[in-house]
Amino acid sequence: MSNRYAVILAAGQGTRMKSKLYKVLHPVCGKPMVQHVVDQVSVLGFDEIVTIVGFGADVVQEQLGEQVEYAVQEQQLGTGHAVMQAEAVLGEKKGTTVVLCGDTPLLTAKTIQDLLTHHEQESAKATVLTAHAEDPSGYGRIVRNQEGLVERIVEHKDATVEEKEIKEINTGTYCFDNEFLFNTLKKVGNDNAQGEYYLPDVIEILKKAGETIAAYQTSSFEETLGVNDRVALSQAEAIMKRRINEKWMRNGVTLIDPEQTYISVEASIGQDTVIYPGTSLIGKTEIGSDCIIGPQTEIKQSKIGNGTVIRQSVVYDSEVGSQVSIGPFAHIRPNSEIGDDVRIGNFVEVKKSTLGKGSKASHLSYIGDADIGENVNFSCGAVTVNYDGKNKFLTKIEDGAFIGCNANLIAPVTIGKHALVAAGSTITDNVPGEALSIARARQTNKEGYVK
Ligand code: UD1
Ligand code: MG
């Protein structure tokens, strides 16, 4: 097998997206489009992967890091011009070069491999990946001669009325003999509707020079969808979502309504977990097995154990144990650690706090900057008073303590093991273990006062 290289085009601004964000960085199921492409390409073990950057070069490089090498295209003069920028890195090399666009996020490693195999079998100098599109508008069309061989590719904007009828499209993915690619690119002109140096023109030039040109048609147009605007972005999102959801359903996860379930590419879910509609699992979120998640639940960048139930709630950047119950209507904010068997009920907010095994905050509480031990009962309406307007302070509650309803724990404060804080108390001083602390005015009844 000869050396293999890949060039990923990601220098365009993506004018049609009408966005501040550079096109290839728009996420599809939580991952930037160009990252999808790089990840699929990386599976195949290329000798070198060069990404062409231009618009937003620094942000694209920050995203892709050291996964690839870079070449800069200062001015966006077209896809042919973009590939030329890789000449300094690849120009002298012998082997096969795959060129891909950073805006085709659905393309899989398998299809790229199939294209490579076809290219090598045909001993072609160039092989284009094509697809049959019911609505080919916007794409370059594959023009074949009477023998059915590829002659050239014509861009939508340059196509004649008859050529626009062609439904076989250029997916923007190709294999080239590396030396032929760079030699031929020098001959590409920009006399066309867009005044750009088109990469697809390499095909026609090689064909006219009598070289072997091949085409490999994938049966999945969906996979080759090129995202140029937000309509296509939503289509890509829908297709990727379906792919991800089907994968989890085949792995033993129940999705009550897959259409209404949003699982990021990086998320994972254990067997026999049931996900109700309106649930979003964002970023690297790990859900254990036998959980019930949703409806209307958002979990971001968090780890959830087994057998946990989370309903109508939000969990961000936190860890939740097994057999936990959260919600409905709870808010777990970043850096929280919820132990096994914990119950967090309705209208409870937890921020940067730890709750040990078996502890409960079942109703209407705020727990912030708190370290709560095991089997603590945090009753209805109790709050940690963690903020004085300038600084945050910590509350520590040791194992087995009972915090009565509507208690205010003014931090910094420690409640000792098995201590009991009476309902309605405002606690400003530490409470020793096993003590009862009452900090509220005594009740006086004024008999007959109302009359
Ligand atoms: C391109 C193809 C078209 C094909 C379609 C498939 C050309 C001329 N046309 O059209 O035949 O059907 O893809 O999706 O190649 N880019 C650069 N530098 C540039 C211009 C573009 O890096 O100067 C990058 C873009 O960031 C993008 C990719 O190349 O990732 C494709 O460019 P785009 O403008 O989307 O081309 P299409 O019009 O989609
Ligand atoms: Mg495109």
Side-chain angles (χ1 to χ4, degrees), residues 383-398:
V383 300
T384 55
V385 183
N386 63 328
Y387 185 49
D388 65 1
K390 275 198 184 134
N391 297 304
K392 303 267 165 69
F393 299 96
L394 304 181
T395 301
K396 186 167 170 51
I397 305 177
E398 295 177 354

Side-chain angles (χ1 to χ4, degrees), residues 16 23 103 227-228:
R16 290 164 280 181
K23 176 167 79 174
D103 66 352
V227 175
N228 294 324

Side-chain angles (χ1 to χ4, degrees), residues 178-210:
N178 189 65
E179 288 167 298
F180 276 80
L181 170 64
F182 286 101
N183 287 333
T184 314
L185 277 172
K186 298 192 178 99
K187 300 176 190 155
V188 171
N190 65 350
D191 181 16
N192 52 51
Q194 305 187 79
E196 288 186 356
Y197 296 90
Y198 291 163
L199 174 61
D201 285 359
V202 167
I203 304 285
E204 185 178 0
I205 298 171
L206 285 174
K207 179 73 186 171
K208 282 193 173 144

Side-chain angles (χ1 to χ4, degrees), residues 7-202:
V7 176
I8 298 170
L9 307 185
Q13 184 179 21
T15 322
R16 290 164 280 181
M17 295 297 281
K18 303 211 167 97
S19 175
K20 291 184 285 303
L21 186 65
Y22 305 106
K23 176 167 79 174
V24 297
L25 292 177
H26 274 264
V28 170
C29 293
K31 193 198 269 191
M33 292 200 268
V34 66
Q35 186 71 63
H36 280 285
V37 177
V38 168
D39 288 350
Q40 293 299 317
V41 166
S42 298
V43 172
L44 298 172
F46 283 88
D47 294 284
E48 281 179 66
I49 304 172
V50 183
T51 301
I52 312 296
V53 291
F55 271 102
D58 46 344
V59 219
V60 176
Q61 292 189 44
E62 199 185 319
Q63 169 64 40
L64 300 176
E66 288 174 6
Q67 248 183 312
V68 297
E69 294 171 69
Y70 299 95
V72 179
Q73 185 192 25
E74 299 287 354
Q75 269 186 302
Q76 281 59 54
L77 302 179
T79 47
H81 180 259
V83 177
M84 266 307 260
Q85 310 312 306
E87 195 186 18
V89 190
L90 300 179
E92 300 297 307
K93 308 216 155 135
K94 284 195 195 317
T96 302
T97 298
V98 177
V99 178
L100 311 104
C101 294
D103 66 352
T104 52
L106 300 164
L107 200 64
T108 60
K110 179 177 181 304
T111 300
I112 304 168
Q113 180 57 56
D114 290 347
L115 172 69
L116 269 160
T117 307
H118 189 79
H119 176 78
E120 281 161 8
Q121 279 168 354
E122 298 289 308
S123 306
K125 292 291 181 279
T127 304
V128 53
L129 179 69
T130 75
H132 175 88
E134 269 318 307
D135 173 14
S137 57
Y139 289 93
R141 310 294 209 283
I142 306 294
V143 181
R144 292 180 182 259
N145 62 18
Q146 277 140 350
E147 290 105 73
L149 298 171
V150 177
E151 290 250 287
R152 61 195 170 88
I153 297 170
V154 61
E155 287 307 296
H156 181 90
K157 286 186 180 154
D158 299 292
T160 62
V161 176
E162 295 86 68
E163 285 167 342
K164 284 202 172 92
E165 295 294 309
I166 300 173
K167 292 196 163 178
E168 189 182 11
I169 59 118
N170 169 24
T171 65
T173 309
Y174 325 74
C175 273
F176 295 101
D177 174 291
N178 189 65
E179 288 167 298
F180 276 80
L181 170 64
F182 286 101
N183 287 333
T184 314
L185 277 172
K186 298 192 178 99
K187 300 176 190 155
V188 171
N190 65 350
D191 181 16
N192 52 51
Q194 305 187 79
E196 288 186 356
Y197 296 90
Y198 291 163
L199 174 61
D201 285 359
V202 167

